[in-house]
Amino acid sequence: MREFEYVRAGAVAEAVRLVAADRDARFLGGGTNLVDLMRLGVERPGLLVDVSGLPLDQVTETPDGGVYIGAMVRNSDVAAHPLIRERYPALAQAILDGASGQLRNMATTGGNLLQRTRCVYFTDPTKPCNKRQPGSGCSAIEGDHRNLAILGASPHCVATHPSDMAVALAALDARVDVTEPRGGMRTIPLGDLYRPLGDRPDQELTVPEGTLVTGVALPPSPLAARSRYRKVRERASYAFAIGSVAAALDTADGTVRDVRIALGAVASRPWRAHTAERILIGGPATEAAYRSAIDAELAHAQPLRDNAYKVPLVRTIVVRMLEELAG
Amino acid sequence: MSVGEAVVRIEGRDKVTGAARYAGDIPVAGFAYGWVVQSTIARGRVSSVDDGEALARPGVLAVLHHGNAPRLGEADDATLLVLQDPRVPHLGWPVALVVATTAEEAREAAATLRIEYQVESHDAAFRAEHPRMYVPDHINPTYETETVKGDVDGALATAEVVVDATYTTPAQHNNPMEPHAAVAEWHDGRLTVHDSSQGAYAVKQALTRLFSLQPDAVRVVSEHVGGGFGNKGTARPHVVLAALGAAAVDRPVRVVLTRPQLYALTGYRTPIVQRVRLGAHRDGRLVALDHLASSQTSKVLEFTEQTALISRSMYASGALRTRHRVVALDVPTPRWMRAPGESPGSFALESAIDELAIACGVDPVELRIANEPESEPASGLPFSSRNLVACLREGARRFGWSGRDPRPALRRDGRWWRGTGVAAATYPARSNPSSASVTAEDDGRFTVRVTAADIGTGARTALTQVAADALQVPMSEVTVLIADSDFGPASVAGGSSGTASWSWAVVAACRDLLAQGAAAGTTAQANTGKAVAARPDLARHAYGAHFVEVAVDPHTGEVRVPRMLGAFAVGRIVNPLTARSQLIGGMTMGLSIALLEESTMDTRFGDFVNHDLANYHVAANADIQSIEAVFVDDPDDQLNPVGVKGLGEIGIVGATAALANAVWHATGVRHRDLPIRPDRVLNATYAV
């Protein structure tokens, strides 16, 4: 393991400045992913700037009736917060479906969004991986890809984003506040934070390197109070999803007035099902309509040799969830 | 009487408070750390090792490789002959050891090594039709490769009902909680090692030969061991590397493997393809049983899992044939994993028996009872005891089996399809030669010494109970010291033979001490070698029956297990508390193997690519709902003085098949390939 320096940042500006000044620096939140990757030799930072003590640790109600989550709020605290449980239950459910109690106590909101794929070739520095070592090739396309992407993949990478929390946030129209290396502050829709998988899968985000996530804003939404999250995994707990859905639905007189659907474990980012949503809005609130809408979304799926099962799996959990939400 | 009491583990408090020290925790003055460097190719030769940069780094004491490591002597196990030649027989083979004053320095220095290879093309793709599949001389450990009784092909050709099915099980890794660790220290030509091992004496014997030492020059201690499930059964490369490193730098060296390193260095269960053919009368009575198992080994060492062994002792059949094949590939060496042979073998046999019951329209409990043998089918030996029927009857009664509708795919509960399954279990009841001593102390207490291992089983506690009874004193008067090779030869904690072997020696020593008068300061010793050898030839086995309920969602692929119940005939129960833990632990591992466990070989690299606990799934608490193990009476005076049959492994045997049989009952789909993953459940075709 490379020897590294450790600095505890007292303010956002200081943290961003420290990381901007050192190409080998990384922000350290809960460390539940970064420290693992350091032990594996995937990440070899020379400087860790610990941001977990920054004063971004509150969940607060916003004047417009939404909720703001500081980037350093621990996952357990988000899931347990009364405002989250009441107004955005899908988010609380998604977090509690992820990892273990111990990990959720450590993991931060910002770190959860930025965690790396668990593709077995990414986490093994002895194997080719375009995400870890650009140009070395993708070992997964012909190899172990049973739990990798069916949507939005490229010939260079088929990784999935492992977060449950991010899937719920995507469905709930979350916006992410960031501070960029030069100090500029921006607010980005969550869906725009992640770069589509192209020919540079190592470049995962649309913001410049050294950007710090400072918070997540959840807009007020009458829909969200009845949102839900459903995760399927190989064992009953403590496993990454093989397919998941976060959704919210508003129906009246047998018609879909509004709907949100985001899918997990199918792409390199939480996958907002815009196609399905567009088809559903204004249409009948029936199982047949749900089915044809998700089929339209999944029509773009490009499964690999061993992950085609995700198509019927996702179809089933989406249709069932919309039926439950309508019921 | 202490035997039979539910006594909590003697060392339990030390373990939960952190006071118990494992091999990687032992403080040895002035020790250095060794980091194992593994090959990144699957076959070839190391052509050069450039250690200049590594040696220049702070704290680095030595870089050992095939060109400079001390020479080793002989080994029964060629996987221990590390750093002796440039040959790379599989990916992950040790090619260097970096020794430094801290673990971090050693590891970082290792990253700077420049190792060049002459790469040769490799073959890591296992398949039953592999052209280099051959018939080995014997199977693990020393059983015959093939047995034949009667005319199997003839009987199959004329049988009224035939089941002919092929079952596959993937490679599986033991994954004990504690990774392998050792600290080795040389002093005046004597070697002392603290090792994470299931058999300190076996490790001592291996090191004695490897380092060409006198037997009294090697001491191995394994006071606490955090699990093993077979992959700490004999010496493993880490202990040899620690001793080599310590010899090279002239100070103690500690080697602790990481989780990924275990995958290539410490053993695993081979992938296996089994073809089972059953011929029967229409009423389910067998006329032919044919069991063929194909597995892999490495090019370092031939290890053939005794997969079809179970079919030699389980059911009466006029014609009976069991056969094994193996192919040597450029892969890590497979070894023992909990119930080697019986675990995968029972999945195939007990699934096939279920398929036969369905084909005959006979209840699967009754079909098994109808095929009870009078004597051991392949050998003809009489049984020392056989209470399988009692296990099936008692399990069925407690589970509520009677009245079960045998038809599949009928029971819906919302999205869940429910079903139940049964399977039988057996495991050899072994006792191996061991020695022990007992000393009457000046304060009136007694100290027992035996090179037993407690790998989490409760062996230390059980032996204390046994010794107390033999000495006719309360447990509080007896201290049992274990896992130190200086205490003399003893059997390993393996093959479910531990307590059955060690308790014999302990009882013999205690009885001898009492016979001598037990005066303070006297010691009695016992060695059971002759007594064990003098036992009559009998078929000695433990038995069990598993009953499992599953809930399957065929549209998401999820399989949940609301209920598991096992009934076991395992001789005399020394400690019902730890015995139950062993059995439900085995059942849980059987569930885990049925649904989750699978080491994924990427044949392009020759590597098990899912080499960590994030990607190799073992059952979590949430996977286990109601699970219970019960005992049936199983008196047997042909075993050992205490009447013990081991129970470390029988819990896993048959559990997997019972679960797969229940999935058939729930869905009408027969899963012959493990694990029964969501994608396999989703990809299956359902009749409704």
Side-chain angles (χ1 to χ4, degrees):
Chain A
M1 183 183 264
R2 182 182 176 188
E3 213 164 83
F4 59 90
E5 288 181 60
Y6 169 92
V7 183
R8 186 173 294 221
V12 169
E14 180 199 0
V16 170
R17 196 175 61 243
L18 283 166
V19 169
D22 185 344
R23 274 184 54 84
D24 277 353
R26 293 282 187 280
F27 296 116
L28 175 70
T32 57
N33 188 203
L34 177 59
V35 173
D36 278 357
L37 293 175
M38 289 168 66
R39 289 178 186 277
L40 292 166
V42 175
E43 287 275 6
R44 296 175 53 80
L47 170 66
L48 288 185
V49 177
D50 186 346
V51 293
S52 64
L54 294 179
L56 305 169
D57 59 347
Q58 298 293 313
V59 176
T60 50
E61 189 167 12
T62 54
D64 63 3
V67 170
Y68 192 83
I69 305 167
M72 301 311 148
V73 182
R74 307 288 173 167
N75 286 180
S76 295
D77 295 331
V78 177
H81 201 283
L83 282 173
I84 301 297
R85 293 164 63 100
E86 179 190 323
R87 298 185 189 175
Y88 308 97
L91 178 56
Q93 292 163 13
I95 291 172
L96 292 176
D97 272 356
S100 65
Q102 294 90 332
L103 289 167
R104 294 192 295 267
N105 286 342
M106 290 298 290
T108 63
T109 303
N112 188 318
L113 290 177
L114 303 185
Q115 64 180 301
R116 314 295 300 277
T117 186
R118 289 336 195 261
C119 173
V120 296
Y121 303 101
F122 175 72
T123 56
D124 181 349
T126 69
K127 303 289 191 303
C129 167
N130 285 325
K131 187 182 276 297
R132 181 168 30 75
Q133 197 182 345
S136 61
C138 175
S139 299
I141 289 172
E142 298 290 325
D144 180 7
H145 56 238
R146 200 172 70 242
N147 197 16
L148 298 182
I150 56 170
L151 288 165
S154 86
H156 305 281
C157 184
V158 291
T160 43
H161 194 270
S163 173
D164 294 298
M165 185 191 83
V167 179
L169 290 177
L172 297 168
D173 296 308
R175 299 169 72 82
V176 180
D177 281 349
V178 301
T179 298
E180 295 190 337
R182 294 180 177 197
M185 295 193 279
R186 281 211 288 150
T187 300
I188 313 165
L190 178 79
D192 294 344
L193 179 65
Y194 303 100
R195 186 187 287 271
L197 273 177
D199 57 359
R200 286 299 302 271
D202 57 311
Q203 297 176 352
E204 297 180 346
L205 303 174
T206 56
V207 293
E209 245 181 76
T211 297
L212 180 67
V213 173
T214 56
V216 175
L218 288 165
S221 162
L223 215 59
R226 289 185 59 243
S227 62
R228 295 175 78 157
Y229 185 72
R230 164 83 164 106
K231 172 178 181 175
V232 179
R233 46 190 153 180
E234 291 191 353
R235 65 180 163 195
S237 75
Y238 199 21
F240 293 101
I242 57 173
S244 73
V245 56
L249 177 69
D250 180 22
T251 62
D253 305 327
T255 299
V256 174
R257 294 211 306 199
D258 204 358
V259 66
R260 303 279 185 282
I261 304 168
L263 309 176
V266 294
S268 66
R269 52 199 158 109
W271 188 268
R272 182 73 177 263
H274 290 294
T275 303
E277 291 179 6
R278 270 196 301 274
I279 292 170
L280 284 167
I281 291 174
T286 61
E287 187 196 338
Y290 306 149
R291 193 167 290 278
S292 64
I294 191 62
D295 281 347
E297 186 74 44
L298 295 169
H300 305 291
Q302 291 184 298
L304 302 161
R305 183 191 66 227
D306 292 332
N307 67 359
Y309 73 96
K310 290 195 177 207
V311 174
L313 170 60
V314 168
R315 182 190 300 128
T316 292
I317 60 177
V318 168
V319 170
R320 283 181 182 173
M321 175 166 285
L322 293 176
E323 285 187 281
E324 287 168 21
L325 289 169
Chain B
M1 288 287 282
S2 296
V3 168
E5 292 293 312
V7 181
V8 298
R9 282 176 176 74
I10 289 166
E11 73 287 354
R13 185 183 172 83
D14 283 351
K15 283 182 173 172
V16 298
T17 58
R21 289 191 191 274
Y22 295 78
D25 306 326
I26 301 291
V28 179
F31 75 90
Y33 293 84
W35 174 259
V36 182
V37 181
Q38 296 174 279
S39 75
T40 55
I41 65 163
R43 180 182 159 95
R45 303 172 78 82
V46 176
S47 47
S48 68
V49 178
D50 177 354
D51 56 9
E53 194 180 338
L55 287 169
R57 293 189 62 88
V60 175
L61 302 170
V63 176
L64 298 187
H65 51 79
H66 71 273
N68 65 2
R71 296 298 95 183
L72 294 169
E74 293 180 352
D76 294 330
D77 176 348
T79 68
L80 302 179
L81 295 171
V82 288
L83 310 185
Q84 300 300 296
D85 66 70
R87 187 90 225 142
V88 174
H90 60 76
L91 190 135
W93 179 255
V95 291
L97 182 78
V98 178
V99 185
T101 52
T102 71
E104 292 77 12
E105 287 165 344
R107 191 165 183 175
E108 188 61 16
T112 69
L113 286 182
R114 305 256 181 283
I115 299 175
E116 302 291 335
Y117 297 97
Q118 286 173 273
V119 181
E120 298 166 19
S121 66
H122 69 270
D123 179 3
F126 170 73
R127 54 199 168 92
E129 313 74 38
H130 198 292
R132 286 191 286 105
M133 197 63 78
Y134 67 95
V135 180
D137 287 340
H138 66 276
I139 55 173
N140 177 63
T142 53
Y143 289 107
E144 294 170 277
T145 302
E146 302 193 350
T147 61
V148 182
K149 186 180 80 172
D151 175 10
V152 170
D153 294 318
L156 282 167
T158 56
E160 290 173 339
V161 181
V162 172
V163 169
D164 181 350
T166 297
Y167 305 86
T168 73
T169 51
Q172 298 151 358
H173 276 78
N174 311 46
N175 275 312
M177 195 161 12
E178 179 205 18
H180 297 58
V183 57
E185 182 176 16
W186 292 90
H187 191 69
D188 293 338
R190 291 176 51 86
L191 175 63
T192 302
V193 171
H194 291 267
D195 186 22
S196 178
S197 172
Q198 295 172 226
Y201 203 84
V203 175
K204 169 206 169 94
Q205 288 177 307
L207 292 173
T208 302
R209 290 191 70 193
L210 280 161
F211 289 91
S212 307
L213 298 168
Q214 293 301 311
D216 63 357
V218 182
R219 180 183 176 207
V220 177
V221 182
S222 306
E223 188 183 1
H224 297 292
V225 181
F229 310 115
N231 79 347
K232 297 173 181 170
T234 52
R236 287 293 179 264
H238 70 284
V239 68
V240 182
L241 289 162
L244 281 172
V249 302
D250 199 22
R251 59 196 269 187
V253 168
R254 174 192 288 176
V255 172
V256 179
L257 298 183
T258 65
R259 182 68 52 183
Q261 287 179 331
L262 302 189
Y263 277 71
L265 288 180
T266 63
Y268 62 96
R269 194 194 306 282
T270 171
I272 305 168
V273 175
Q274 300 177 67
R275 184 178 180 198
V276 176
R277 293 193 294 168
L278 304 177
H281 297 297
R282 230 175 285 285
D283 63 6
R285 282 178 300 121
L286 289 166
V287 295
L289 196 175
D290 189 24
H291 193 161
L292 171 65
S294 304
S295 62
Q296 77 182 23
T297 187
S298 74
K299 291 188 179 158
V300 183
L301 179 79
E302 182 189 277
F303 177 91
T304 308
E305 180 132 349
Q306 67 270 39
T307 310
L309 184 70
I310 189 168
S311 290
R312 296 178 187 171
S313 68
M314 205 56 183
Y315 297 114
S317 178
L320 170 62
R321 179 167 63 190
T322 62
R323 294 175 292 171
H324 297 81
R325 304 285 182 267
V326 70
V327 59
L329 300 172
D330 303 305
V331 295
T333 305
R335 303 305 292 265
W336 311 282
M337 177 164 157
R338 204 173 198 169
E342 284 81 2
S343 168
S346 66
F347 168 63
L349 176 64
E350 291 297 304
S351 292
I353 290 286
D354 199 61
E355 297 199 49
L356 179 66
I358 293 159
C360 295
V362 175
D363 178 85
V365 170
E366 298 304 328
L367 182 132
R368 286 176 170 88
I369 291 170
N371 283 294
E372 268 288 287
E374 294 288 322
S375 59
E376 189 175 49
S379 69
L381 288 173
F383 293 106
S384 66
S385 60
R386 180 172 167 117
N387 283 306
L388 173 59
V389 172
C391 294
L392 286 162
R393 293 271 185 239
E394 178 65 5
R397 187 185 69 78
R398 287 178 180 256
F399 189 79
W401 183 265
S402 74
R404 171 185 183 262
D405 186 334
R407 294 173 296 167
L410 286 179
R411 291 148 295 272
R412 302 291 167 84
D413 175 9
R415 69 186 179 96
W416 297 109
W417 300 17
R418 288 178 178 271
T420 53
V422 62
T426 187
Y427 195 81
R430 301 183 173 103
S431 296
N432 297 321
S434 289
S435 63
S437 71
V438 56
T439 300
E441 305 289 356
D442 292 340
D443 61 3
R445 294 172 46 80
F446 298 90
T447 304
V448 173
R449 292 178 173 82
V450 55
T451 315
D454 191 329
I455 59 173
T457 56
R460 182 185 278 104
T461 309
L463 291 175
T464 307
Q465 293 173 264
V466 167
D469 284 2
L471 293 164
Q472 300 164 24
V473 297
M475 278 182 73
S476 56
E477 303 288 305
V478 181
T479 300
V480 174
L481 302 175
I482 64 167
D484 183 334
S485 63
D486 278 359
F487 298 162
S491 180
V492 299
S496 296
S497 70
T499 302
S501 305
W502 307 318
S503 70
W504 191 334
V506 167
V507 166
C510 291
R511 286 179 183 166
D512 190 28
L513 186 78
L514 291 191
Q516 292 175 27
T522 57
T523 293
Q525 292 181 318
N527 188 314
T528 61
K530 282 183 189 155
V532 171
R535 291 193 303 174
D537 251 2
L538 291 171
R540 297 178 176 86
H541 302 278
Y543 295 92
H546 296 271
F547 294 81
V548 176
E549 179 178 358
V550 298
V552 182
D553 182 341
H555 300 293
T556 62
E558 293 161 297
V559 179
R560 295 288 178 262
V561 184
R563 270 200 305 159
M564 294 183 89
L565 174 95
F568 298 96
V570 284
R572 190 162 178 211
I573 304 302
V574 175
N575 184 335
L577 196 66
T578 52
R580 175 180 176 276
S581 288
Q582 282 276 75
L583 292 167
I584 66 171
M587 292 163 68
T588 299
M589 207 162 174
L591 174 152
S592 197
I593 282 171
L595 299 180
L596 300 166
E597 294 194 34
E598 174 174 33
S599 304
T600 308
M601 168 57 68
D602 187 325
T603 57
R604 299 168 302 169
F605 303 107
D607 192 13
F608 293 113
V609 288
N610 59 333
H611 46 222
D612 59 45
L613 292 175
N615 290 297
Y616 183 101
H617 287 161
V618 299
N621 278 334
D623 292 295
I624 310 304
Q625 298 179 34
S626 168
I627 182 166
E628 203 42 70
V630 298
F631 305 107
V632 304
D633 279 344
D634 191 32
D636 188 333
D637 59 9
Q638 295 294 321
L639 299 168
N640 46 63
V642 187
V644 169
K645 293 178 178 177
L647 41 68
E649 285 158 285
I650 192 162
I652 198 173
V653 181
T656 304
L659 203 155
N661 294 342
V663 170
W664 177 85
H665 189 231
T667 64
V669 171
R670 175 63 60 179
H671 286 269
R672 298 187 184 92
D673 304 303
L674 294 183
I676 307 172
R677 296 187 312 248
D679 61 308
R680 287 181 163 146
V681 176
L682 266 165
N683 288 339
T685 305
Y686 297 88
V688 275

